[in-house]
Amino acid sequence: MRKLAILRFYLIVCLLMFSQQVEAREQCNCLANLDTTIKKTELNYVGYPDMIARKLLPDYKKMVKKLRTNAAALSDPQKCFQILKEYVIFFNDKHFDIEYAVSDSTTFKYNRVNEKAFISAYSEKKRDAIEGIWINPDSSMKLAVYKVDPETYQAVILESRDAKLKPGLVYYTFKKAKDGFTFDRYDWMTPDFPVRLRAALLYVWNFEVWGKVYPAKMTTDERNTLSTWGNYNFGLDCRKLDEDHILLTIGSFNRDDKIKEIIQKNDSLIRATKNLIVDLRGNGGGNSGWSYLLPYFYTQPIKQGKSYLRLSPENIKSNLPGIKAMYENTPQDPRWKRSYTPEILAEYRKAYQQIPQSGAQFYALPTLTLYADSILKTPEKVALVFDDLGGSSTEYFFYISKQSSKVKRYGERTLGMMDYMGVSEQTMLPFKDYYLQIPDRKATWTDTMPTNKTGFVPEYDLKHLPRERWIEHIKRDL
């Protein structure tokens, strides 16, 4: 009887601890979050009027009705996020962004995996290329990736130098997609951002890159590529291939300071070499680091083309301060000095005055024309290399590079996410850990030649070649 009483006591304690843990989990009013998202989207999202113009309103209303029904009884933030994500991805616009920063650690998943047992069992059945053991650039973390169902893979921590990231934590969940995979991280749920497997390198868009160490191993070139992602360097590298070719690799535009640093360090070498190859494969965009390349590809003033702001009260309020700053506090960066002419300053001043009074749906915003100090004799030719991870500012660079007679574009189509751009202030939702960004302007080409479905397509298609042979092919072609 005493043993039975003790067992009952421990059972009650365990149940109480479990119930407290469940009660401690964060909750949200899913319908309130969805309705706020819908309301703000219809009022402020620049792509919403275009969707109506394309006669998608019946499909949209049907989707909204279904999602509101599904959201009505939900309070779990992770399940609710899937509903919000379904709403956002309806618009096929990766700048229209909903994310969930998971602060509730009680939801983290663990699946303790022993490395020796994993290796021992690896050959027992047919494995997919993504399965195996992977390391990050500084070898501070090791992951085991394995299939859990026909569409899903888990990446579980085997080793980590970070005490907060314990072995067994499901660091990533990968889902099969049309051209690769999408991902959620243990602390971060996202829209369908792409993951690509490139031989023994795994690109989690342009956020993280992993190298395979089992069963296959990285080549020397792959190890060198992985190392360029260490210390938040985002794939930056510059090296001389031969007497006539410099290879500048930019894996992301997220660190303008790093791009400036590597270009300044190698500027004299680039200017003294016949041809420059800029490898932008894997570059999902970021900021305006491409502007540091302007002197090398410049052959004439570059017109960026107007963008069109959707005029809603909230968009107007969030954009007016920036427009005013354009003519009152012009940047001192010498790259932009020639662009701020009296005429363009007058256009910004006029926009600031007209926008609040306008009854139009869109307003054509002024844009700067870009200049360089001179046209360089060398490099004589500039090759830009793209792939299907290229998005955002990488695609914008593709667009403006067409105005240079020096530039040739190689590779494969880009991701497709530049028709709509610019974001107003973060749209606050009732649940604090949801992060919603709504684009408020569209590009100059969106109405006539939209690219979100097609991406930007290089003139020189290299899909027929193995990726490791692209650079050699480009050298011969230049």
Side-chain angles (χ1 to χ4, degrees), residues 124 275 352 378:
E124 291 180 1
N275 296 323
Y352 181 80
T378 52

Short mmCIF file of all heavy atoms in Angstrom, two decimals, residues 124 275 352 378:
data_model
loop_
_atom_site.label_atom_id
_atom_site.label_comp_id
_atom_site.label_asym_id
_atom_site.label_seq_id
_atom_site.Cartn_x
_atom_site.Cartn_y
_atom_site.Cartn_z
N GLU A 124 21.14 1.54 -43.41
CA GLU A 124 20.13 0.49 -43.33
C GLU A 124 18.99 0.69 -44.32
O GLU A 124 18.25 -0.23 -44.61
CB GLU A 124 19.57 0.40 -41.91
CG GLU A 124 20.58 -0.12 -40.90
CD GLU A 124 20.01 -0.18 -39.50
OE1 GLU A 124 18.81 0.16 -39.34
OE2 GLU A 124 20.74 -0.58 -38.57
N ASN A 275 38.92 41.73 -66.38
CA ASN A 275 37.51 41.37 -66.21
C ASN A 275 37.19 41.08 -64.74
O ASN A 275 38.01 40.52 -64.01
CB ASN A 275 37.16 40.13 -67.05
CG ASN A 275 37.30 40.38 -68.53
OD1 ASN A 275 36.99 41.46 -69.03
ND2 ASN A 275 37.80 39.38 -69.26
N TYR A 352 6.20 65.81 -50.90
CA TYR A 352 5.83 65.97 -49.49
C TYR A 352 4.57 66.84 -49.35
O TYR A 352 3.71 66.57 -48.49
CB TYR A 352 6.99 66.61 -48.72
CG TYR A 352 6.73 66.79 -47.25
CD1 TYR A 352 6.87 65.73 -46.37
CD2 TYR A 352 6.32 68.02 -46.75
CE1 TYR A 352 6.63 65.88 -45.01
CE2 TYR A 352 6.07 68.19 -45.39
CZ TYR A 352 6.23 67.12 -44.53
OH TYR A 352 5.98 67.27 -43.19
N THR A 378 39.34 49.68 -67.00
CA THR A 378 39.31 48.31 -66.47
C THR A 378 38.62 48.34 -65.12
O THR A 378 38.80 49.29 -64.34
CB THR A 378 40.73 47.73 -66.31
OG1 THR A 378 41.53 48.63 -65.56
CG2 THR A 378 41.36 47.46 -67.66
#
